Amino acid sequence: HIDSLNQPVYTFYPEWNQGNKKKITLRHILTHTSGLQNVRMATKEIYPSPDVVKLALSAELEQEPGTQFSYNNKAVNLLAGIFEKASGKSMDQYLEQELFHPMGIKKYRWSKDDAGNPYAMSGLQLYAKDIAKFGRLVLNNGVWEGHQLVSSDYIEKMAGKNTDGEFGLLWRKLPESSTFSLTEEDLQRLKEKGVSEKYIQKLKPYLNTEIDGSNIQKVYIEIFGNPEVLQREFIDKGVKKIFSSEIGDIAGYYGDGYLGQYLIILPRTRIVI
């Protein structure tokens, strides 16, 4: 139904065939590089919206498409509309037919907006045993009980096996090791962006200190307390990266849900968690 990941979104929504929006491709949506205006907290903008597809279509551009990573749930929700435009079926109906039914997934619930669009960013409730089936599907390169449900080529692209960065196509990469550090140059850059002195002082104890990746989340919580502070004090001021980082070899891939759901795939040991 779709030519390639490089197909422009305007081929589905002609109103985008103008300005820089005509440059936005499916790949940009899947890699969080669309450049669309973004509010990080979904509860503030997305959930109150009666039509999340229209919300994404009406968003202004903040950056040139393809130039900057910005985790963007609003843009991702546009995938629900693209599914329907391309296949003639709603995203949940299409996936039920093409994936859920062949994989024996019979009970699930998918949250929708008032217009009937299933959220592409979230809202799919599954039993743990059925989430694990998706891990097996990826681990086996798209093959389920002898049937190629997803092409092996797409599985490789989705995992981001041959690309740089933290993400593949909506999947996070899991490195064997990672370390984070904060230099005087990093701190000066934050000051120049307008980060308030309160948070500059909170960051100072971490100057020239190596932080193991397993502890970075704890450090973020100590500094920011909640995502709204991170949005207001850093992201809204144009800060894309706070700490410098060194990432080791990729050991696996994972998806994580806002309320604590995880699906982790470790190909070398063939483990799905």
Side-chain angles (χ1 to χ4, degrees):
H1 300 296
I2 288 170
D3 296 335
S4 80
L5 294 181
N6 296 321
Q7 186 170 345
V9 174
Y10 80 74
T11 58
F12 303 100
Y13 292 98
E15 60 265 42
W16 271 20
N17 190 15
Q18 56 180 316
N20 279 335
K21 277 190 174 180
K22 69 182 178 184
K23 299 178 183 178
I24 300 175
T25 66
L26 298 183
R27 188 185 299 276
H28 291 146
I29 302 293
L30 290 163
T31 55
H32 294 292
T33 58
S34 66
L36 288 177
Q37 176 271 338
N38 184 26
V39 174
R40 196 171 180 85
M41 294 297 292
T43 52
K44 285 195 169 183
E45 185 180 27
I46 295 173
Y47 288 130
S49 173
D51 190 322
V52 295
V53 173
K54 287 183 178 177
L55 179 69
L57 288 171
S58 63
E60 298 294 328
L61 272 181
E62 287 187 330
Q63 291 99 25
E64 176 86 9
T67 61
Q68 292 189 43
F69 174 90
S70 179
Y71 192 95
N72 194 327
N73 279 325
K74 180 163 60 179
V76 167
N77 281 330
L78 190 54
L79 294 174
I82 291 170
F83 259 92
E84 193 156 355
K85 289 275 188 178
S87 70
K89 298 176 182 177
S90 67
M91 183 172 66
D92 55 326
Q93 289 174 333
Y94 185 87
L95 291 177
E96 181 174 33
Q97 175 183 319
E98 299 293 333
L99 282 182
F100 296 2
H101 181 71
M103 293 168 67
I105 297 173
K106 298 177 181 178
K107 289 189 176 182
Y108 71 93
R109 187 161 56 212
W110 205 323
S111 300
K112 300 181 181 182
D113 65 15
D114 291 345
N117 300 301
Y119 294 109
M121 65 171 194
S122 67
L124 175 58
Q125 299 175 46
L126 293 164
Y127 287 114
K129 64 183 177 65
D130 288 333
I131 296 176
K133 289 179 180 180
F134 285 99
R136 284 178 56 197
L137 183 69
V138 174
L139 196 64
N140 293 323
N141 296 311
V143 175
W144 182 264
E145 297 183 350
H147 300 283
Q148 191 83 46
L149 299 186
V150 181
S151 76
S152 59
D153 179 60
Y154 186 78
I155 294 290
E156 186 166 314
K157 289 187 176 75
M158 183 186 75
K161 292 181 181 179
N162 301 311
T163 59
D164 295 329
E166 179 185 349
F167 278 80
L169 305 178
L170 301 183
W171 282 77
R172 295 182 187 269
K173 301 177 188 180
L174 185 66
E176 287 182 339
S177 63
S178 59
T179 56
F180 295 81
S181 60
L182 185 70
T183 65
E184 290 283 1
E185 291 78 12
D186 292 328
L187 209 56
Q188 184 59 36
R189 176 173 47 83
L190 297 177
K191 289 179 181 178
E192 291 170 359
K193 289 285 189 180
V195 172
S196 69
E197 185 62 24
K198 173 183 176 181
Y199 292 98
I200 295 295
Q201 292 302 319
K202 282 193 169 191
L203 284 164
K204 279 188 175 180
Y206 300 100
L207 264 176
N208 304 315
T209 300
E210 198 170 84
I211 305 166
D212 187 87
S214 61
N215 293 322
I216 191 65
Q217 197 71 21
K218 182 180 177 182
V219 170
Y220 272 99
I221 292 169
E222 287 175 355
I223 296 169
F224 312 122
N226 63 70
E228 290 188 6
V229 172
L230 179 61
Q231 178 77 43
R232 182 182 70 248
E233 291 291 338
F234 292 86
I235 296 169
D236 287 350
K237 294 175 180 177
V239 175
K240 300 299 179 184
K241 185 174 72 168
I242 296 170
F243 294 94
S244 299
S245 61
E246 289 190 18
I247 306 298
D249 292 339
I250 301 304
Y253 313 94
Y254 73 101
D256 58 336
Y258 177 65
L259 298 178
Q261 308 92 328
Y262 288 86
L263 172 60
I264 304 167
I265 301 161
L266 303 173
R268 291 179 201 167
T269 48
R270 295 193 61 77
I271 290 175
V272 172
I273 303 166

